[in-house]
Amino acid sequence: MNLQPTANTEAKSPLSLEISGISKSFGRFPALRNVSLQARDKEFLALLGPSGSGKTTLLRVLAGLERPDAGDVRFDGEDFLSIPVRHRRVGMVFQQYALFRHMSVAQNIAFGLTVRPRSVRPSKSEVADRVADLLCLVQLEGLGSRFPAQLSGGQRQRVALARALAIEPKMLLLDEPFGALDAKVRRELRRWLRDLHDRAGVTTVFVTHDQDEALDLADRVAILKDGELRQLGAPNDVYENPADPFVYDFLGAACRLPGIVEGGRLRVADWETKAETDAPQGRVEVYFRPNEVVLAPLDGAGLAGEVRAVAARGPDVRIECLIEGQIFELESRGPGIPAGVAPGLALRIKPLRPKVYAAQPRV
Amino acid sequence: MSDQTRHIGSVELRRRPWLQHSILPGFGLSLGITLTYLGAIVVLPLTALAIRPWELGLHGVWHELSAPRVASALKLSFGLSALAALLNAPLGLLLAWTLSRYEFPGRRILDALVDLPFALPTAVAGLALTAIYAPNGPLGSLAAKLGIKTAYSALGIFIALVFIGLPFVVRSLQPVLQELDHEVEEAATTLGADARQRAVRVILPAMAPSLISGVSLAFARAVGEYGSVVFIAGNLPGKTEIAPLLIVIKLESYDYAGAAAVGVAMVAISFGSLVLINGLQLALAKRGKA
């Protein structure tokens, strides 16, 4: 259901942002290594990765605040790197918002318009109209005369967004847009931001370390680690088919067991099943999601395990199982605890969709 | 017993609605010490000073202050102090900017040099300045060729006051410049502001409160400066005689009441200007907070 519209937009809209072979080092620390990716016109692209993965550096390269050591950035076919920052027309929203504290909200939003050269500067009344429109858009009507210090975190974030939108940016860049907000406000703003993006129709790149946020919001997700692009794809695609163990692990809870693929069969401990045709041969790592398992009686198929603890937590039931000497926290749909499951029970656990990766040499 | 005290405490709190309740203990003690200390160190001597001249009577005090020699000394002291502080505003800003924004070899040494006017005994500063700016000194002779008299003129006093005021401006601004969020400037750039617009519209307003406080400190210091000025001033009555020197002269001729009258006038003018400057600073600082 989610895949269909994404596929459509991918077919229709042309590429607007093309990043190719970007590398950037700070001293001897490589922040970005040969990163290439593209965003389509009006696309909402997430740069997802743990801290230190280079995602913010990449965003700053796009804004022009950081000059890459190598590589090329094109926007609508134009060489973006040769355009000075202040002529790029990118709307950047900083993680800490970077509002001008000595200016009122309205002055903050109007800043990008009032610093224009006189010949292209809108008149005072036009600026006032535009500020009023933007205040309305970010739902801060009537707060134009306040100062940033008098606003809540969520309100400040929306001022920063309105300020960035005021210059009618070609591209919107958001650095951890919800990073400094509490969980409830985050969730509210998430949907609102997606709405806003759809209405404003601007190519948007946002940085986050929260996989939930990226999967929920973005049209496509680029997953970075140690300055390298690991995978780029639609949220559902990357979740269903993670390119490597890191991506699998990063996108959600994961259980891992060693296994062997031989003659088209996957063997994990005492459980054997058909291996996927493209699975690597020999020693492998088997990954599965803790909520994608079937519990079976001891004479059924699956991994032999023993229940250690059971706890119902709201919509889910957590079942702690001992499998192959490791404790796994499995999840089962609640609200009730499945009949008969109790600590001490020996049972079989069958992963529904095991994902197989070639075993990594231990480091 | 403890019950009783608590009860009394709460009653007292209700009887004093202007007192905001604080969870920090020790308000009474700390306020007591503050008042005693300020009273003994600041208010008591000033009161003694303020009482002294009135033995001349109101008319006598007025006569004392309106004497041309006194009036011109007061004008000279406050006028030159204000000018020196105003010159230190842009120059101190530039120094603070250079020292906190750029990395270059010798930056730390320059940084330490700024403090020298603080640390130097003022008489030493006066000697050093006079040596350079006297008509036979290296700079003084150069200026003399151009027909400008540096030492033993108002210009000499001005130079000394600039010298001693500089560190106040630089040291007030440096921490603010260092703390200034770099992202704010980056944000301004992405919004299309050029270097001048960033400086004028983003950086300067953020520094204005500290700049004002640095300038007012430099001004206050310059008004009271004695040691370095008397060497370079020439001390011609009515021309290059500063008010603090006039006080000393009056004291030396046993005119205690007259000296105190000039002193009271200085305190009044200084206090008035500081209140004014603080008001301005508060108004500016309030825009970013509250």
Side-chain angles (χ1 to χ4, degrees), chain B:
Chain B
M1 151 103 201
S2 80
D3 256 332
Q4 207 178 358
T5 13
R6 208 178 302 141
H7 177 70
I8 289 170
S10 70
V11 167
E12 272 180 350
L13 271 182
R14 244 179 283 129
R15 236 193 285 149
R16 293 184 291 186
W18 66 88
L19 201 65
Q20 263 194 12
H21 184 69
S22 164
I23 53 157
L24 288 177
F27 171 70
L29 185 66
S30 53
L31 182 69
I33 292 176
T34 305
L35 288 181
T36 314
Y37 193 70
L38 274 180
I41 301 287
V42 180
V43 180
L44 206 62
L46 284 183
T47 315
L49 174 74
I51 292 170
R52 195 67 203 253
W54 304 111
E55 60 195 47
L56 298 171
L58 191 63
H59 187 73
V61 171
W62 175 246
H63 183 75
E64 190 71 40
L65 291 179
S66 57
R69 189 179 175 183
V70 175
S72 88
L74 285 174
K75 222 188 285 171
L76 190 71
S77 269
F78 283 98
L80 286 181
S81 297
L83 278 181
L86 285 180
L87 178 71
N88 269 330
L91 288 183
L93 188 65
L94 193 77
L95 256 76
W97 178 269
T98 311
L99 291 176
S100 47
R101 274 310 173 92
Y102 305 107
E103 268 311 323
F104 53 91
R107 189 182 64 89
R108 283 178 183 283
I109 297 172
L110 282 186
D111 199 59
L113 275 180
V114 170
D115 276 333
L116 223 52
F118 261 143
L120 226 52
T122 52
V124 178
L127 278 176
L129 288 171
T130 313
I132 303 176
Y133 289 105
N136 54 359
L139 283 179
S141 61
L142 213 68
K145 271 188 201 138
L146 299 170
I148 303 166
K149 199 176 174 198
T150 44
Y152 315 130
S153 72
L155 183 61
I157 303 174
F158 177 70
I159 291 170
L161 295 182
V162 169
F163 174 82
I164 51 130
L166 182 66
F168 291 93
V169 179
V170 176
R171 290 291 178 248
S172 309
L173 286 174
Q174 258 177 328
V176 189
L177 267 170
Q178 272 153 7
E179 261 177 46
L180 201 67
D181 188 1
H182 203 67
E183 284 193 345
V184 172
E185 286 165 68
E186 291 181 339
T189 314
T190 62
L191 291 168
D194 60 25
R196 194 189 59 81
Q197 287 167 323
R198 290 199 296 277
V200 173
R201 301 194 44 184
V202 176
I203 299 168
L204 270 183
M207 294 200 303
S210 310
L211 182 62
I212 291 171
S213 98
V215 167
S216 73
L217 280 174
F219 170 74
R221 172 70 202 273
V223 166
E225 180 60 15
Y226 175 77
S228 61
V229 175
V230 288
F231 285 94
I232 203 171
N235 308 327
L236 281 174
K239 286 206 174 120
T240 57
E241 190 177 58
I242 55 165
L245 176 67
L246 189 60
I247 294 176
V248 174
I249 290 172
K250 281 185 184 292
L251 285 177
E252 279 170 351
S253 53
Y254 305 106
D255 181 8
Y256 293 129
V262 180
V264 168
M266 288 190 76
V267 170
I269 301 175
S270 290
F271 193 69
S273 6
L274 287 183
V275 166
L276 213 70
I277 294 169
N278 276 348
L280 182 63
Q281 192 194 349
L282 212 69
L284 275 173
K286 223 169 151 180
R287 293 197 310 177
K289 294 184 191 105

Side-chain angles (χ1 to χ4, degrees), chain A residues 60 63 65 85-86 90 92 94-96 98-103 111-112 114-116 147 149-150 163-164 167, chain B residues 180-181 183-195 197-198 201-203 205-206 286-290:
Chain A
R60 289 174 59 84
L65 300 170
V85 184
R86 63 190 200 91
V90 291
M92 174 100 178
F94 292 84
Q95 191 173 359
Q96 304 296 330
L99 295 177
F100 307 126
R101 282 190 296 176
H102 60 280
M103 293 184 202
F111 185 85
T114 55
V115 295
R116 285 188 184 167
F147 284 93
Q150 297 167 307
R163 184 179 68 174
I167 60 169
Chain B
L180 201 67
D181 188 1
E183 284 193 345
V184 172
E185 286 165 68
E186 291 181 339
T189 314
T190 62
L191 291 168
D194 60 25
Q197 287 167 323
R198 290 199 296 277
R201 301 194 44 184
V202 176
I203 299 168
K286 223 169 151 180
R287 293 197 310 177
K289 294 184 191 105

Side-chain angles (χ1 to χ4, degrees), chain A residues 8 12-13 22 28 145 163 231 235 250 262 265 305 317 359:
Chain A
N8 270 343
K12 264 187 222 154
S13 58
I22 291 286
R28 293 172 66 190
S145 56
R163 184 179 68 174
Q231 195 171 5
F250 195 69
E262 248 173 8
R265 304 291 290 173
V317 179

